[in-house]
Every structure is written in C-alpha cells, then in structure tokens.
Amino acid sequence: AGSLMTTKLSQPQSTLAKSLTPTSTNAPYFKALESTEIPPYVTNCPSNGLCSRLPPDCMTCNMNYSCIYGKTATFDCKVKPHVHCVDENNHEQENFTINMTCQFCWQLATSDYVCTNSTNCMTVSCPRQRYNATCTVRDHIHCLGNRVFPKMLYCNWTGGYKWSTALALSITLGGFGADRFYLGQWREGLGKLFSFGGLGIWTLIDVLLIGVGYVGPADGSLYI
C-alpha cells in the first residue's frame, strides 16, 4: 500500500515538472525576439548619413531649456538604437552635437510645420473664423518641446472678389488701374492711373500676376 501511494503521488509531480520545463526554456527565446525587433522609427532614419542631418525622431538630445530665446544653441545628442550615422570624416559615431535656434516648436514660422485643415469653416464671415488645428513640425526642423501641438488658425475665406472679373479688368482697363481698384489696392491703382499703366509695362505685368493668382484682394481673402 505504501508503494502504491508513493507511485500515485510521484506521477503528478513528474507531470508538473514536465509542464514547467518548456516554459522556463522558452522565456529567454521570446526575450531574444523582442530585443532583435527593429523599432518603427528606423524606417525614417537614413543609413550612414550625417548624424547632424538625422530627423529628430532618430536621436535623443539633452535639451537646454535655459538657452536664450532666438539665439543659436548647441545640444548634445545620441543616436537611438539600430540607427547608424557618420561624422564629416565618414567615421561612424553615436554621440554628436547639433546647432539650432532656441525656440519652442509652436513658435516656429508657418513654413516649418504642417497643420490639418478644417471642413467646418465658413468662407464668408465677419469677423474671420478660427478653427482648432493639429500641427506637426517638419522632419528637418529642430525645436524645443512637443513636435505635435494645437494651434488656432484662420479659416480660408473670401470677400466676394471674382478672379475672372479681376482678370477681365486687368486686360481691358488695366492701364487706368481698374483691376487694382477692384481688388481694394488703392495706392497701386492710383499709381497705374497717373502713369498710364507704367507706360503699358505695369499693365502687362499685372495681367500675368492676376492670371496666375499671385495678386489677390487687399484684405487677404481668396477669389471666388
């Protein structure tokens, strides 16, 4: 009886030991897979390019928030894992410095970031409407703070000026400044009127500028 009880008790123990063995041996295997997985940001990082030209997502920098606003500041940076870059002598490096203007991302010029457009804006309203946009800094621009930020932007709007009317006036009565008067540009209109369209040269130039949409209403609105 004693031997029978020993046999019955030993079977669950051996079964439990076998069930634990694969788990303990597979754990390091899964960790190895996780460590060798390539992060998604690597696809946006040029290989073997200059470290100072890498996009901000490819590096980690020690930002000095006490720098003087508007002045050029130097920051110490390090490439992220799986990113390879070189210096000016084509030597691979991990630690490097970058120079950038001391300012937050939301203080950049409008040409340095891209914002979402609104589908609920009114094209004719007074005062001009604003909408909440989400803006993202371009890859080659470095700045302090969050690279994605909210911003209040003006809606695209029109004051009722027609492009076809402005172009027709420029062709027929441009020598008298009618096109500029129509667009609300009184000073330019008077200048064309008293100079007979700049002896015809100004008239021809305005036909081209209005034709391509370079010259628009003085209030900054869009053509209909």
Side-chain angles (χ1 to χ4, degrees):
S3 63
L4 180 60
M5 291 180 62
T6 304
T7 305
K8 289 182 178 180
L9 289 174
S10 62
Q11 286 179 353
Q13 290 176 354
S14 62
T15 304
L16 180 61
K18 289 181 180 179
S19 64
L20 290 175
T21 302
T23 305
S24 60
T25 55
N26 287 341
Y29 177 72
F30 288 123
K31 289 182 180 179
L33 286 178
E34 292 177 356
S35 61
T36 57
E37 184 179 355
I38 299 177
Y41 61 79
V42 176
T43 57
N44 298 325
C45 302
S47 181
N48 296 325
L50 287 176
C51 294
S52 58
R53 299 292 182 86
L54 286 175
D57 292 338
C58 306
M59 65 180 75
T60 303
C61 299
N62 297 324
M63 294 300 184
N64 180 15
Y65 289 92
S66 61
C67 58
I68 301 176
Y69 174 75
K71 301 293 184 179
T72 301
T74 301
F75 299 91
D76 295 326
C77 301
K78 181 179 181 180
V79 294
K80 290 184 177 180
H82 303 283
V83 177
H84 302 281
C85 62
V86 297
D87 58 11
E88 289 76 5
N89 297 323
N90 205 28
H91 296 153
E92 187 171 354
Q93 62 177 358
E94 293 184 359
N95 300 302
F96 57 96
T97 59
I98 60 171
N99 296 322
M100 70 178 187
T101 304
C102 179
Q103 60 184 348
F104 287 96
C105 295
W106 58 270
Q107 296 173 317
L108 293 171
T110 55
S111 58
D112 293 334
Y113 53 82
V114 180
C115 299
T116 57
N117 293 322
S118 174
T119 58
N120 299 323
C121 276
M122 294 181 61
T123 57
V124 179
S125 65
C126 185
R128 292 178 62 183
Q129 277 192 341
R130 292 174 177 262
Y131 69 95
N132 292 317
T134 301
C135 303
T136 305
V137 181
R138 299 184 184 274
D139 288 340
H140 64 284
I141 302 298
H142 297 278
C143 55
L144 300 175
N146 296 326
R147 298 184 62 81
V148 179
F149 53 91
K151 198 174 184 71
M152 292 288 292
L153 299 179
Y154 280 111
C155 296
N156 290 332
W157 67 294
T158 177
Y161 297 94
K162 292 184 178 181
W163 173 80
S164 57
T165 302
L167 182 60
L169 290 174
S170 183
I171 295 174
T172 57
L173 300 174
F176 301 99
D179 49 354
R180 295 282 184 165
F181 286 127
Y182 172 73
L183 295 174
Q185 301 177 8
W186 297 96
R187 294 180 180 178
E188 291 81 356
L190 291 174
K192 292 182 70 175
L193 176 63
F194 291 109
S195 66
F196 300 102
L199 300 179
I201 299 177
W202 194 349
T203 302
L204 294 175
I205 293 175
D206 270 359
V207 170
L208 294 175
L209 295 180
I210 294 176
V212 299
Y214 185 80
V215 173
D219 57 8
S221 64
L222 302 177
Y223 286 116
I224 296 177

